[in-house]
Amino acid sequence: MPVQAATAPGSAAPTEQSFIDRTYSKVFWRLVPFLMLCYIVAYLDRVNVGFAKLQMSKELGFSETAYGLGAGIFFLGYFLFEVPSNIILHKVGARVWIARIMITWGLISGAFLFVNSETTFYAMRFLLGIAEAGFYPGVILYVTNWFPSHRRARVITVFMAAIPISGVFGNPLSGWIMDAFHEAHGLSGWQWMFLIEAVPAVLVGIAVLLYLDNRPSEAKWLDPAERQVLERDIAAEDRTKTDSPHSLATVFRNGRVWFMSLIYFLFVAGQYGLAFWVPTIVKASGIQGNFHIGLVSAIPFLVATVVMVGLGRSADHFRERRWHLIGPALIGAVGFVVSAASTDTVVAITALSVAAGGVLACSPLFWSLPTAFLSGAGAAAGIALINSVGNLAGFAGPYAIGALRDYTGSTAAGMYVLAITLVLGAACVFAVPPRLVNK
């Protein structure tokens, strides 16, 4: 079907607009569910250490601080290799590089069964961070090759719904593996969990090579007219990004990029503080048995899935970004405070679910901000820099909660700190000019 010449947003003829909508729907269903599967596997291998802690810390004699440091040290390796990884991805293409990332981290994750001391725990977490560096910002960059900014919030939020979905299914699965396989063939349940949950990463990594295309021009599953729609829209949007940094050097000198890094740091602190400590928090509320802890731990992530998808659709519909970020951040902060202060199990889990819905919705909605002004090579470096600096909070958050828990004997102080980071993040988003991001 021929496509008419480009028109101003909102002025396309009805027949052309219906064709454009069908084209983007086709691309969405071809790419996003598969990318979700990749991220479900990635996130499960990244945070299943939270469940391993329930057995591993006791068997190997880890303190709460040692566990928090090991959980967080992943992000030091991630930080150091994030920008180089995304630049390589920009040069060689997402298909090959994402496959390499997934296969490598799968092999390293499986090797966690050999952890036998704090030193080996730290080393393996650091190597896992190096292996996975570039995956998430690489996917964000990949999405910008297929969807313009006003369609991107829904895509990214559905993709990032993989985080709570991995909690919904992964937490009970991890608990069941640890109970069912404990001491089988001389291995502890946590060792079996690492080994079994590493296999999907390798298999999906191989599937990436067979399934993904780097950009619309390479997609044989698109008709020529469909490719024309995508390439026209992306090119038109790139022409509006006249103030985007165009090199690695200019990215590092760009104050706007660093401010975005600060916002993301504050939101990520809440995200990983939640992810790494939910099993411990649930156990402290009185729930017994790894499988039951897994089932209850899934509730906050189930709530977050619904909230994330709904807010992503709303942000695209209204073409509004700032308040769609500020609201969930403040609600998440309230959830953390109530959860920490409550002594009732039902109230604590309900509040934790509110916190999860708020904090996990922030990350996908956040990426509508920097991708609204970054393009080309500047986007590859800028997205990676923002993600790598932001994810240092994945080191600081779990470590701080672990240290506070050792010092106070409770997770409450850590939850209050996470609430404060979300409030600060909301304040920073409020300072972002609406004209910059509401497109």
Side-chain angles (χ1 to χ4, degrees), residues 281-282 284-287 296 339 342-352:
I281 295 169
V282 170
S285 72
I287 305 299
V296 175
S339 178
S342 176
T343 57
D344 182 89
T345 299
V346 174
V347 173
I349 298 303
T350 301
L352 198 61

Side-chain angles (χ1 to χ4, degrees), residues 164-234:
I165 289 173
S166 71
V168 170
F169 295 103
N171 284 352
L173 175 64
S174 297
W176 176 78
I177 291 173
M178 288 171 60
D179 285 341
F181 288 84
H182 188 55
E183 296 185 348
H185 300 285
L187 298 177
S188 295
W190 62 269
Q191 292 174 302
W192 278 110
M193 183 198 68
F194 280 126
L195 181 61
I196 292 171
E197 293 182 355
V199 174
V202 177
L203 296 180
V204 175
I206 295 171
V208 167
L209 289 170
L210 304 174
Y211 189 80
L212 285 188
D213 298 291
N214 290 320
R215 51 183 47 86
S217 60
E218 300 176 10
K220 294 182 174 58
W221 45 272
L222 289 173
D223 297 332
E226 293 169 334
R227 284 195 290 270
Q228 181 186 345
V229 165
L230 302 179
E231 292 169 350
R232 181 195 68 189
D233 287 355
I234 298 301

Side-chain angles (χ1 to χ4, degrees), residues 426-438:
C428 290
V429 172
F430 184 75
V432 176
R435 60 175 176 77
L436 179 66
V437 296
N438 292 339

Side-chain angles (χ1 to χ4, degrees), residues 175-419:
W176 176 78
I177 291 173
M178 288 171 60
D179 285 341
F181 288 84
H182 188 55
E183 296 185 348
H185 300 285
L187 298 177
S188 295
W190 62 269
Q191 292 174 302
W192 278 110
M193 183 198 68
F194 280 126
L195 181 61
I196 292 171
E197 293 182 355
V199 174
V202 177
L203 296 180
V204 175
I206 295 171
V208 167
L209 289 170
L210 304 174
Y211 189 80
L212 285 188
D213 298 291
N214 290 320
R215 51 183 47 86
S217 60
E218 300 176 10
K220 294 182 174 58
W221 45 272
L222 289 173
D223 297 332
E226 293 169 334
R227 284 195 290 270
Q228 181 186 345
V229 165
L230 302 179
E231 292 169 350
R232 181 195 68 189
D233 287 355
I234 298 301
E237 180 174 87
D238 284 346
R239 287 193 294 270
T240 69
K241 300 177 180 179
T242 55
D243 57 350
S244 173
H246 297 292
S247 68
L248 183 60
T250 55
V251 163
F252 276 94
R253 293 195 301 267
N254 191 288
R256 191 178 291 165
V257 170
W258 285 105
F259 189 61
M260 292 292 166
S261 300
L262 171 63
I263 295 173
Y264 197 50
F265 180 95
L266 294 168
F267 289 153
V268 168
Q271 175 183 323
Y272 284 111
L274 178 80
F276 284 130
W277 288 93
V278 161
T280 300
I281 295 169
V282 170
K283 184 176 181 178
S285 72
I287 305 299
Q288 299 296 318
N290 292 322
F291 179 65
H292 293 105
I293 292 172
L295 288 175
V296 175
S297 298
I299 295 173
F301 294 101
L302 183 61
V303 172
T305 303
V306 177
V307 173
M308 287 173 67
V309 175
L311 283 174
R313 293 177 67 91
S314 175
D316 275 350
H317 176 75
F318 291 103
R319 297 203 181 190
E320 197 287 322
R321 312 298 176 194
R322 292 162 70 250
W323 288 106
H324 278 80
L325 258 173
I326 294 169
L330 296 178
I331 291 171
V334 172
F336 276 131
V337 170
V338 175
S339 178
S342 176
T343 57
D344 182 89
T345 299
V346 174
V347 173
I349 298 303
T350 301
L352 198 61
S353 299
V354 171
V359 71
L360 292 179
C362 287
S363 288
L365 291 168
F366 163 81
W367 285 106
S368 297
L369 274 59
T371 56
F373 67 87
L374 291 170
S375 64
I383 291 170
L385 177 62
I386 292 167
N387 192 64
S388 60
V389 172
N391 271 283
L392 284 177
F395 168 75
Y399 178 67
I401 292 176
L404 286 169
R405 194 166 190 267
D406 272 339
Y407 182 73
T408 65
S410 168
T411 56
M415 297 297 103
Y416 295 140
V417 169
L418 296 181

